[in-house]
Amino acid sequence: MQWKRHITGLAFSIVFVVSYFTNKFVLSVLKFTYPTLFQGWQTFIGAVLLLLSGKFGWVEMSRITRSAALSWLPGSLLFVGNIYAGSRALSRIDIPIFFTLQNSSHVVSYIILKVVHREKTQWLKLISICLMLLSAINLPLHDPQFDYSGYFWAVGHLLCVGAYRVFQVHYKSSNLSDLEQQCINYLFSVLLLAIAAHPTGDLMGAMEFPSLQSHTFHCGCCASALLGFLLLLATVKLKSGLSLKHFGVWIFLSKITAMSLSPFIFYMDINTPSLICVVIGHVGEALLVYSHRDSQL
């Protein structure tokens, strides 16, 4: 029934907003800027909860073969790049700026599809891509809190997100479900981030973290891991019951909600030109969502 879809969408939006706010709090307010540990913790808890949910029959997951897991590894590598660079970027830039830059991942997807798959493009989609690219290019020029490192990692994040989106849609070598793909992502991430924790200096740096024994820090880390898992379940549930266009509408509304509420929770310094860039970027996203009818991406 229609009302059930609205409830699922509303639940998705709530978890989406609270999840991003929790991550932002730990990364920016508490300043726990050690992504191999923070993201490693989140993916470890996500993997444990997902495997337990599959074992008890709470979610539908089939046995993942070794060949399927190995063939999905390029996607998992992009996923690790996505969460690592995204964590770095979110710790340094505001949520509205982060989402505006993240939107330009659609530009990356568009270029890959154009070059590799020679796909035709609707005029409306092309206009939306241009608007998102225009806003992302102009943001660093007008952002009063411009942080080179934050923007650098944001670029890495959007490159990985765009490439992962294409890989996920056009990956045909096995019939892995979204949950099975994410399970491989989680397990690979835990392994890779654990190996990288010492060489990156995150392990030693975290030992000197001032709030390491703080209950607020512990609660924030636990909440972020649980919310990340709930967001995965909500995303899969919503995606399975809606068309691509309507799924995109809920993501768009969730981003708008998060951006509208973030100034009331986190300190922000935004001027008129940067605000215009944010608005243009999300007008582009709205046009992209509207252009989705029978397309896969």
Side-chain angles (χ1 to χ4, degrees):
M1 294 177 68
Q2 196 69 26
W3 64 271
K4 289 185 177 180
R5 293 181 180 180
H6 291 322
I7 291 177
T8 304
L10 183 60
F12 167 82
S13 292
I14 293 172
V15 175
F16 181 95
V17 173
V18 177
S19 177
Y20 267 97
F21 282 4
T22 303
N23 287 338
K24 181 66 175 173
F25 176 77
V26 175
L27 293 169
S28 293
V29 178
L30 298 182
K31 300 187 183 302
F32 188 74
T33 53
Y34 308 103
T36 57
L37 300 179
F38 187 53
Q39 296 300 330
W41 160 256
Q42 289 190 350
T43 52
F44 172 74
I45 296 300
V48 170
L49 292 176
L50 189 55
L51 289 171
L52 287 175
S53 298
K55 184 175 181 61
F56 290 114
W58 297 335
V59 298
E60 189 174 338
M61 282 180 59
S62 303
R63 183 178 177 274
I64 302 172
T65 63
R66 181 180 299 178
S67 60
L70 289 175
S71 61
W72 182 255
L73 284 185
S76 294
L77 188 61
L78 289 171
F79 175 80
V80 176
N82 164 13
I83 60 175
Y84 182 89
S87 180
R88 288 280 194 189
L90 189 59
S91 68
R92 292 178 172 269
I93 58 180
D94 296 325
I95 287 177
I97 305 297
F98 178 82
F99 283 146
T100 304
L101 294 172
Q102 188 185 68
N103 281 350
S104 56
S105 65
H106 291 286
V107 179
V108 177
S109 300
Y110 170 79
I111 293 173
I112 294 174
L113 289 173
K114 203 69 178 174
V115 172
V116 178
H117 297 282
R118 308 281 183 180
E119 290 196 1
K120 295 181 180 180
T121 307
Q122 304 171 5
W123 277 107
L124 188 59
K125 184 175 181 179
L126 182 59
I127 292 171
S128 71
I129 292 294
C130 290
L131 288 175
M132 287 186 280
L133 179 60
L134 181 66
S135 67
I137 290 174
N138 281 279
L139 256 179
L141 304 176
H142 301 291
D143 185 1
Q145 291 182 293
F146 175 77
D147 183 289
Y148 175 81
S149 180
Y151 275 81
F152 172 81
W153 287 111
V155 170
H157 171 67
L158 68 90
L159 289 173
C160 290
V161 171
Y164 182 84
R165 185 184 295 115
V166 175
F167 183 80
Q168 188 177 39
V169 171
H170 290 272
Y171 172 75
K172 303 294 184 185
S173 60
S174 76
N175 294 317
L176 292 171
S177 69
D178 287 345
L179 287 176
E180 290 159 1
Q181 291 171 6
Q182 195 62 29
C183 185
I184 299 172
N185 289 343
Y186 279 156
L187 294 173
F188 182 77
S189 300
V190 172
L191 177 62
L192 192 61
L193 292 171
I195 293 173
H198 188 269
T200 57
D202 285 1
L203 186 60
M204 299 305 296
M207 296 296 181
E208 301 174 0
F209 180 60
S211 302
L212 192 61
Q213 303 301 324
S214 166
H215 292 300
T216 302
F217 170 67
H218 297 160
C219 291
C221 288
C222 290
S224 67
L226 180 59
L227 286 165
F229 175 69
L230 293 177
L231 182 59
L232 168 65
L233 297 184
T235 301
V236 171
K237 178 70 174 176
L238 186 64
K239 192 176 180 180
S240 64
L242 297 175
S243 65
L244 178 63
K245 179 178 179 179
H246 289 95
F247 176 65
V249 168
W250 279 109
I251 293 180
F252 176 76
L253 292 176
S254 301
K255 287 182 180 180
I256 296 298
T257 302
M259 290 191 299
S260 301
L261 294 176
S262 60
F264 299 101
I265 299 175
F266 304 103
Y267 170 77
M268 288 177 52
D269 182 12
I270 190 166
N271 54 21
T272 302
S274 58
L275 181 60
I276 291 173
C277 290
V278 171
V279 171
I280 290 174
H282 286 85
V283 168
E285 185 185 15
L287 290 175
L288 182 65
V289 171
Y290 181 77
S291 71
H292 282 157
R293 288 181 175 83
D294 300 321
S295 62
Q296 287 183 292
L297 194 61

